[in-house]
Amino acid sequence: DTAVSQTPKYLVTQMGNDKSIKCEQNLGHDTMYWYKQDSKKFLKIMFSYNNKELIINETVPNRFSPKSPDKAHLNLHINSLELGDSAVYFCASSQEKAGRGETQYFGPGTRLLVL
Amino acid sequence: AQKVTQAQTEISVVEKEDVTLDCVYETRDTTYYLFWYKQPPSGELVFLIRRNSFDEQNEISGRYSWNFQKSTSSFNFTITASQVVDSAVYFCALSEAFYGGATNKLIFGTGTLLAVQP
């Protein structure tokens, strides 16, 4: 009964390739997020979607394109992968209510290694 | 700008010792939310606690307790009688809400690696 799931868990690929990471939540939340954790463990938000609408788009290269087909899914597509994209990518979800900073629940992470 | 500082990069203790992880935050908002997450060696991020800026009561959950002090902008986390299973990276985070509350983003500290030795 995983609340937030991500696939794949590990992704090893060559520079220049295109890859996608999928995220699904079964919590009934209306807001989903992508965070990136670098090699020093620093976590930073990349995107957020509310009811399939892009809300937050931090300074992320446009090689990264999120897509939300419905409230329960938020996918991340990365074009022309670079060495610096190697990181752990976390999906999260929350049920936002008028800016009350609701708890975000995280998926298990996808470990991306670009060779 | 909003910021979270976890000055302790690594802490090592022996089992059964008490340990406090420090968190200091900066924000101009009057309403904000603070969180602690645990990241064990397996890598997932586990939610521990959420606290809003109007509630300064300390909270205790088993061996875990949290001390929130607005006067010093701190939200410290204490583990009593630590155990090896407490070994993890612990993140403090501050929530920044916008777009009419339709979303918020977490500003994370750099984390504190806690190693509990048997």
Side-chain angles (χ1 to χ4, degrees):
Chain A
D1 290 15
T2 307
V4 183
S5 59
Q6 295 178 227
T7 53
K9 192 168 182 183
Y10 299 96
L11 191 48
V12 181
T13 188
Q14 300 287 330
M15 256 190 343
N17 284 351
D18 303 339
K19 289 293 177 186
S20 290
I21 306 172
K22 295 187 175 182
C23 178
E24 176 180 1
Q25 54 96 2
N26 62 6
L27 296 167
H29 290 164
D30 59 3
T31 305
M32 295 183 72
Y33 310 80
W34 280 111
Y35 285 83
K36 178 180 179 181
Q37 185 174 43
D38 64 22
S39 58
K40 295 184 179 177
K41 297 278 192 184
F42 185 62
L43 277 154
K44 191 171 191 300
I45 192 165
M46 300 172 70
F47 303 101
S48 85
Y49 270 75
N50 176 264
N51 278 319
K52 302 191 295 176
E53 181 186 355
L54 178 65
I55 306 297
I56 297 174
N57 185 348
E58 292 288 287
T59 312
V60 178
N62 56 17
R63 298 181 295 102
F64 289 79
S65 52
K67 278 193 174 53
S68 181
D70 56 56
K71 277 191 344 177
H73 296 84
L74 179 61
N75 304 324
L76 183 65
H77 188 75
I78 316 170
N79 288 327
S80 304
L81 278 155
E82 300 177 358
L83 294 177
D85 298 331
S86 296
V88 181
Y89 293 85
F90 284 98
C91 177
S93 75
S94 68
Q95 183 64 30
E96 287 310 313
K97 298 171 191 168
R100 290 188 190 172
E102 298 298 333
T103 299
Q104 294 184 24
Y105 295 93
F106 285 80
T110 295
R111 286 142 189 83
L112 171 65
L113 177 60
V114 182
L115 302 174
Chain B
Q2 308 220 348
K3 187 179 175 183
V4 176
T5 301
Q6 294 181 256
Q8 303 151 310
T9 308
E10 289 187 37
I11 301 176
S12 183
V13 299
V14 177
E15 222 174 4
K16 297 185 184 173
E17 282 185 23
D18 298 348
V19 57
T20 295
L21 310 182
D22 297 333
C23 173
V24 173
Y25 61 92
E26 294 174 31
T27 179
R28 289 186 211 167
D29 295 341
T30 53
T31 301
Y32 51 90
Y33 299 83
L34 294 161
F35 300 80
W36 277 93
Y37 284 85
K38 174 183 180 179
Q39 187 172 41
S42 49
E44 69 271 26
L45 282 163
V46 179
F47 164 71
L48 295 178
I49 190 171
R50 168 180 177 262
R51 176 51 53 88
N52 77 54
S53 53
F54 296 110
D55 182 2
E56 286 194 72
Q57 272 192 322
N58 289 338
E59 177 143 352
I60 298 175
S61 175
R63 296 183 298 106
Y64 295 172
S65 62
W66 289 269
N67 181 281
F68 175 36
Q69 294 201 344
K70 280 178 84 168
S71 59
T72 54
S73 297
S74 65
F75 187 41
N76 296 337
F77 173 31
T78 297
I79 301 174
T80 303
S82 59
Q83 299 176 0
V84 172
V85 293
D86 296 327
S87 297
V89 179
Y90 291 87
F91 291 97
C92 181
L94 171 67
S95 175
E96 176 184 291
F98 56 95
Y99 188 66
T103 191
N104 76 81
K105 71 177 183 182
L106 292 177
I107 310 296
F108 282 90
T110 48
T112 297
L113 173 61
L114 174 64
V116 182
Q117 311 294 337

Coordinates of all heavy atoms in Angstrom, one line a residue, chain B residues 24-79:
Chain B
V24 N 18.1 26.3 13.0 CA 17.8 27.7 13.1 C 17.3 28.1 11.7 O 17.8 27.7 10.7 CB 19.1 28.5 13.4 CG1 18.8 30.0 13.4 CG2 19.6 28.1 14.8
Y25 N 16.2 28.9 11.8 CA 15.6 29.3 10.5 C 15.5 30.8 10.4 O 15.5 31.6 11.4 CB 14.2 28.7 10.4 CG 13.2 29.1 11.5 CD1 12.4 30.2 11.3 CD2 13.2 28.4 12.7 CE1 11.5 30.6 12.3 CE2 12.4 28.8 13.7 CZ 11.5 29.9 13.5 OH 10.7 30.3 14.5
E26 N 15.3 31.3 9.2 CA 15.0 32.7 8.9 C 13.8 32.8 8.0 O 13.8 32.2 6.9 CB 16.2 33.3 8.2 CG 17.5 33.4 9.0 CD 18.7 33.9 8.1 OE1 18.4 34.7 7.2 OE2 19.8 33.5 8.4
T27 N 12.9 33.7 8.3 CA 11.8 34.0 7.5 C 11.2 35.3 7.8 O 11.3 35.7 9.0 CB 10.7 32.9 7.6 OG1 9.6 33.2 6.8 CG2 10.2 32.7 9.1
R28 N 10.5 36.0 6.9 CA 9.8 37.2 7.1 C 8.4 37.0 7.4 O 7.6 37.9 7.7 CB 10.0 38.2 6.0 CG 11.4 38.8 5.9 CD 11.5 39.8 4.8 NE 12.8 39.8 4.2 CZ 13.0 40.4 3.0 NH1 12.1 41.1 2.4 NH2 14.3 40.4 2.5
D29 N 7.9 35.8 7.1 CA 6.5 35.5 7.2 C 6.1 35.4 8.7 O 6.9 35.0 9.5 CB 6.2 34.1 6.6 CG 6.4 34.1 5.1 OD1 6.4 35.2 4.5 OD2 6.5 33.1 4.5
T30 N 4.9 35.8 9.0 CA 4.4 35.6 10.3 C 3.8 34.2 10.5 O 3.7 33.7 11.6 CB 3.3 36.7 10.7 OG1 2.3 36.7 9.7 CG2 4.0 38.1 10.7
T31 N 3.3 33.7 9.4 CA 2.8 32.3 9.5 C 3.7 31.4 8.7 O 3.9 31.7 7.5 CB 1.4 32.2 8.9 OG1 0.5 33.1 9.6 CG2 0.8 30.8 9.0
Y32 N 4.2 30.4 9.3 CA 5.1 29.5 8.6 C 5.0 28.1 9.3 O 4.4 28.0 10.4 CB 6.5 30.0 8.6 CG 7.1 30.4 9.9 CD1 7.7 29.5 10.7 CD2 6.9 31.7 10.4 CE1 8.2 29.9 12.0 CE2 7.4 32.1 11.6 CZ 8.1 31.2 12.4 OH 8.6 31.6 13.6
Y33 N 5.6 27.1 8.7 CA 5.6 25.8 9.2 C 7.0 25.2 9.2 O 7.7 25.4 8.2 CB 4.6 24.9 8.3 CG 3.2 25.5 8.4 CD1 2.8 26.5 7.5 CD2 2.3 25.0 9.3 CE1 1.5 27.1 7.6 CE2 1.0 25.5 9.4 CZ 0.6 26.6 8.5 OH -0.6 27.1 8.6
L34 N 7.2 24.4 10.2 CA 8.6 23.8 10.3 C 8.4 22.3 10.3 O 7.4 21.8 10.9 CB 9.2 24.3 11.6 CG 9.6 25.8 11.6 CD1 9.8 26.3 13.0 CD2 10.8 26.0 10.7
F35 N 9.4 21.6 9.8 CA 9.3 20.2 9.7 C 10.7 19.5 10.0 O 11.7 20.2 9.9 CB 9.0 19.7 8.2 CG 7.7 20.2 7.7 CD1 7.6 21.5 7.2 CD2 6.6 19.4 7.7 CE1 6.4 22.0 6.7 CE2 5.4 19.9 7.2 CZ 5.3 21.2 6.7
W36 N 10.6 18.3 10.5 CA 11.8 17.4 10.5 C 11.5 16.2 9.7 O 10.4 15.6 9.8 CB 12.1 17.1 12.0 CG 12.9 18.1 12.7 CD1 12.4 19.1 13.5 CD2 14.3 18.3 12.7 NE1 13.5 19.9 14.0 CE2 14.6 19.4 13.5 CE3 15.4 17.6 12.1 CZ2 16.0 19.8 13.8 CZ3 16.7 18.0 12.4 CH2 17.0 19.1 13.2
Y37 N 12.5 15.8 8.9 CA 12.5 14.5 8.2 C 13.7 13.7 8.5 O 14.8 14.3 8.8 CB 12.5 14.8 6.7 CG 11.2 15.3 6.1 CD1 10.8 16.6 6.2 CD2 10.2 14.4 5.6 CE1 9.6 17.1 5.6 CE2 9.0 14.8 5.1 CZ 8.7 16.2 5.1 OH 7.5 16.6 4.6
K38 N 13.6 12.4 8.5 CA 14.7 11.5 8.7 C 15.0 10.8 7.4 O 14.1 10.3 6.7 CB 14.3 10.5 9.8 CG 15.3 9.4 10.0 CD 14.7 8.4 11.0 CE 15.7 7.2 11.3 NZ 15.2 6.3 12.3
Q39 N 16.3 10.7 7.1 CA 16.7 9.9 5.9 C 17.7 8.8 6.4 O 18.9 9.0 6.6 CB 17.4 10.8 4.9 CG 17.7 10.1 3.5 CD 18.1 11.0 2.4 OE1 18.9 11.9 2.6 NE2 17.6 10.7 1.2
P40 N 17.2 7.6 6.6 CA 18.0 6.5 7.0 C 19.0 6.1 5.9 O 18.8 6.6 4.7 CB 17.0 5.4 7.4 CG 15.8 5.7 6.6 CD 15.8 7.2 6.4
P41 N 19.9 5.2 6.1 CA 20.8 4.8 5.1 C 20.1 4.2 3.9 O 20.7 4.2 2.8 CB 21.7 3.7 5.8 CG 21.6 4.1 7.2 CD 20.3 4.7 7.5
S42 N 18.9 3.7 4.0 CA 18.2 3.1 2.9 C 17.7 4.2 1.9 O 17.3 3.9 0.8 CB 17.0 2.3 3.4 OG 16.3 3.1 4.3
G43 N 17.7 5.5 2.3 CA 17.6 6.6 1.4 C 16.2 7.3 1.4 O 16.1 8.3 0.8
E44 N 15.2 6.7 1.9 CA 13.9 7.3 1.8 C 13.8 8.5 2.8 O 14.6 8.6 3.7 CB 12.7 6.3 2.1 CG 12.6 5.8 3.5 CD 13.5 4.6 3.8 OE1 14.5 4.4 3.1 OE2 13.1 3.9 4.8
L45 N 12.9 9.4 2.6 CA 12.7 10.5 3.5 C 11.4 10.3 4.3 O 10.3 10.2 3.8 CB 12.5 11.8 2.6 CG 13.8 12.4 2.1 CD1 13.4 13.4 1.0 CD2 14.5 13.1 3.2
V46 N 11.6 10.2 5.6 CA 10.5 9.9 6.5 C 10.1 11.1 7.3 O 10.9 11.8 8.0 CB 10.9 8.8 7.5 CG1 9.8 8.4 8.4 CG2 11.4 7.5 6.7
F47 N 8.8 11.5 7.2 CA 8.3 12.6 7.9 C 8.3 12.3 9.4 O 7.9 11.2 9.9 CB 6.9 12.9 7.4 CG 6.1 13.8 8.3 CD1 6.4 15.1 8.4 CD2 5.0 13.3 9.1 CE1 5.6 16.0 9.3 CE2 4.3 14.1 9.9 CZ 4.6 15.4 10.0
L48 N 8.7 13.3 10.2 CA 8.7 13.1 11.7 C 7.7 14.1 12.4 O 7.0 13.6 13.2 CB 10.1 13.4 12.3 CG 11.2 12.4 11.8 CD1 12.6 12.8 12.5 CD2 10.9 11.0 12.3
I49 N 7.8 15.4 12.0 CA 6.9 16.3 12.7 C 6.7 17.5 11.9 O 7.5 17.9 11.0 CB 7.5 16.7 14.1 CG1 6.5 17.5 14.9 CG2 8.8 17.5 13.9 CD1 6.9 17.8 16.3
R50 N 5.5 18.1 12.1 CA 5.2 19.4 11.5 C 4.7 20.3 12.6 O 4.0 19.9 13.5 CB 4.0 19.3 10.5 CG 3.4 20.6 10.0 CD 2.3 20.2 9.0 NE 1.5 21.4 8.5 CZ 0.4 21.8 9.0 NH1 -0.2 21.1 10.0 NH2 -0.2 22.8 8.5
R51 N 5.2 21.6 12.6 CA 4.8 22.5 13.7 C 4.5 23.9 13.0 O 5.3 24.4 12.2 CB 6.0 22.7 14.6 CG 5.9 23.7 15.7 CD 4.5 23.5 16.5 NE 4.3 22.2 16.9 CZ 4.6 21.7 18.1 NH1 5.3 22.5 19.0 NH2 4.3 20.5 18.5
N52 N 3.4 24.5 13.4 CA 3.1 25.8 12.9 C 3.6 26.9 13.8 O 3.9 26.7 15.0 CB 1.6 26.0 12.5 CG 0.8 26.2 13.8 OD1 1.1 27.1 14.6 ND2 -0.2 25.4 14.0
S53 N 3.8 28.1 13.2 CA 4.5 29.2 13.9 C 3.7 29.7 15.1 O 4.2 30.5 16.0 CB 4.8 30.3 13.0 OG 3.6 30.7 12.3
F54 N 2.4 29.3 15.3 CA 1.6 29.8 16.4 C 1.6 28.9 17.6 O 1.1 29.2 18.6 CB 0.2 30.1 15.9 CG 0.1 31.2 14.9 CD1 -0.2 30.8 13.6 CD2 0.4 32.5 15.2 CE1 -0.3 31.8 12.6 CE2 0.3 33.5 14.2 CZ 0.0 33.1 12.9
D55 N 2.2 27.8 17.4 CA 2.2 26.8 18.4 C 3.6 26.5 19.0 O 4.4 25.8 18.4 CB 1.6 25.4 17.9 CG 1.5 24.4 19.0 OD1 1.8 24.7 20.1 OD2 1.1 23.3 18.6
E56 N 3.9 27.1 20.1 CA 5.2 27.0 20.6 C 5.4 25.9 21.7 O 6.4 25.8 22.4 CB 5.7 28.4 21.2 CG 6.1 29.4 20.1 CD 6.8 30.5 20.7 OE1 8.0 30.4 21.1 OE2 6.2 31.6 20.8
Q57 N 4.3 25.2 21.8 CA 4.4 24.1 22.8 C 5.4 23.0 22.4 O 5.5 22.7 21.2 CB 3.0 23.4 22.9 CG 2.1 24.0 23.9 CD 0.9 23.1 24.2 OE1 0.4 22.4 23.3 NE2 0.5 23.0 25.4
N58 N 6.2 22.6 23.3 CA 7.1 21.5 23.0 C 6.3 20.2 22.7 O 5.2 20.0 23.2 CB 8.1 21.3 24.1 CG 9.1 22.4 24.2 OD1 9.3 23.1 23.2 ND2 9.7 22.6 25.4
E59 N 6.9 19.3 21.9 CA 6.2 18.1 21.6 C 7.1 16.9 21.9 O 8.3 17.0 21.7 CB 5.8 18.1 20.1 CG 5.1 16.8 19.7 CD 4.0 17.1 18.7 OE1 3.7 18.2 18.4 OE2 3.5 16.1 18.1
I60 N 6.5 15.9 22.4 CA 7.2 14.7 22.7 C 6.5 13.5 22.0 O 5.3 13.4 22.1 CB 7.3 14.4 24.2 CG1 8.0 15.6 24.9 CG2 7.9 13.1 24.5 CD1 8.0 15.5 26.4
S61 N 7.3 12.6 21.4 CA 6.7 11.4 20.8 C 7.7 10.3 21.1 O 8.7 10.2 20.4 CB 6.5 11.6 19.3 OG 6.1 10.4 18.7
G62 N 7.4 9.5 22.1 CA 8.3 8.5 22.5 C 9.7 9.0 23.0 O 9.8 9.9 23.9
R63 N 10.7 8.6 22.3 CA 12.1 9.1 22.6 C 12.4 10.4 21.9 O 13.5 11.0 22.2 CB 13.1 8.0 22.2 CG 13.0 6.7 23.0 CD 14.1 5.7 22.6 NE 14.0 5.3 21.2 CZ 14.9 5.8 20.3 NH1 15.9 6.6 20.6 NH2 14.8 5.4 19.0
Y64 N 11.5 10.9 21.1 CA 11.7 12.1 20.3 C 11.0 13.3 21.0 O 9.9 13.1 21.5 CB 11.2 12.0 18.9 CG 11.8 11.0 18.0 CD1 11.3 10.7 16.7 CD2 13.0 10.3 18.3 CE1 11.9 9.8 15.9 CE2 13.6 9.4 17.5 CZ 13.0 9.1 16.3 OH 13.6 8.2 15.4
S65 N 11.7 14.4 21.0 CA 11.1 15.6 21.5 C 11.6 16.8 20.7 O 12.7 16.8 20.1 CB 11.3 15.8 23.0 OG 12.7 16.0 23.2
W66 N 10.7 17.8 20.6 CA 11.1 19.0 19.8 C 10.8 20.2 20.6 O 9.9 20.4 21.3 CB 10.2 19.0 18.5 CG 10.5 18.0 17.5 CD1 11.4 18.1 16.5 CD2 10.0 16.7 17.5 NE1 11.5 16.9 15.8 CE2 10.6 16.0 16.4 CE3 9.1 16.0 18.2 CZ2 10.3 14.7 16.0 CZ3 8.8 14.7 17.9 CH2 9.4 14.0 16.8
N67 N 11.8 21.2 20.5 CA 11.7 22.4 21.2 C 11.7 23.6 20.2 O 12.7 23.8 19.5 CB 12.9 22.5 22.1 CG 12.9 23.8 22.9 OD1 13.3 24.9 22.5 ND2 12.5 23.7 24.2
F68 N 10.5 24.3 20.2 CA 10.4 25.4 19.2 C 10.4 26.7 20.0 O 9.6 26.9 20.9 CB 9.0 25.2 18.5 CG 8.6 26.3 17.6 CD1 9.6 27.0 16.8 CD2 7.3 26.7 17.5 CE1 9.2 28.0 16.0 CE2 6.9 27.7 16.6 CZ 7.9 28.4 15.9
Q69 N 11.3 27.5 19.6 CA 11.4 28.8 20.3 C 11.5 29.9 19.2 O 12.5 30.1 18.5 CB 12.7 28.9 21.1 CG 12.7 27.9 22.3 CD 13.6 28.3 23.4 OE1 14.5 29.1 23.2 NE2 13.4 27.8 24.6
K70 N 10.4 30.7 19.1 CA 10.3 31.8 18.1 C 11.3 32.9 18.4 O 11.8 33.5 17.5 CB 8.9 32.3 18.1 CG 7.9 31.5 17.3 CD 6.6 32.1 17.3 CE 6.4 33.2 16.2 NZ 4.9 33.5 16.1
S71 N 11.6 33.1 19.7 CA 12.5 34.2 20.1 C 13.9 34.0 19.6 O 14.6 35.0 19.3 CB 12.5 34.3 21.6 OG 13.0 33.1 22.2
T72 N 14.3 32.8 19.4 CA 15.6 32.5 18.9 C 15.5 31.9 17.5 O 16.6 31.4 16.9 CB 16.4 31.5 19.8 OG1 15.6 30.4 20.0 CG2 16.7 32.2 21.1
S73 N 14.3 31.8 16.9 CA 14.1 31.2 15.6 C 14.8 29.8 15.5 O 15.5 29.5 14.6 CB 14.7 32.1 14.5 OG 14.0 33.3 14.4
S74 N 14.5 29.0 16.5 CA 15.1 27.7 16.5 C 14.0 26.6 16.7 O 12.9 26.8 17.3 CB 16.1 27.6 17.6 OG 15.5 27.7 18.9
F75 N 14.3 25.4 16.1 CA 13.4 24.3 16.2 C 14.2 23.1 16.4 O 14.5 22.3 15.4 CB 12.5 24.2 15.0 CG 11.4 23.2 15.0 CD1 10.7 22.9 16.1 CD2 11.1 22.4 13.9 CE1 9.7 22.0 16.2 CE2 10.1 21.5 13.9 CZ 9.4 21.3 15.0
N76 N 14.7 22.8 17.6 CA 15.6 21.8 17.9 C 15.0 20.4 18.2 O 13.9 20.3 18.7 CB 16.5 22.1 19.1 CG 17.4 23.4 18.7 OD1 17.6 23.7 17.6 ND2 17.8 24.1 19.8
F77 N 15.7 19.4 17.9 CA 15.2 18.0 17.9 C 16.1 17.2 18.9 O 17.3 17.2 18.7 CB 15.2 17.4 16.5 CG 14.8 16.0 16.4 CD1 14.0 15.3 17.3 CD2 15.3 15.3 15.3 CE1 13.6 14.0 17.1 CE2 15.0 13.9 15.1 CZ 14.2 13.3 16.0
T78 N 15.5 16.6 19.9 CA 16.3 15.8 20.8 C 15.8 14.3 20.8 O 14.6 14.0 20.8 CB 16.1 16.3 22.3 OG1 16.6 17.6 22.3 CG2 16.8 15.4 23.3
I79 N 16.8 13.4 20.7 CA 16.5 12.0 20.8 C 17.1 11.6 22.2 O 18.3 11.7 22.5 CB 17.2 11.2 19.7 CG1 16.7 11.7 18.3 CG2 16.9 9.7 19.8 CD1 17.5 11.1 17.1

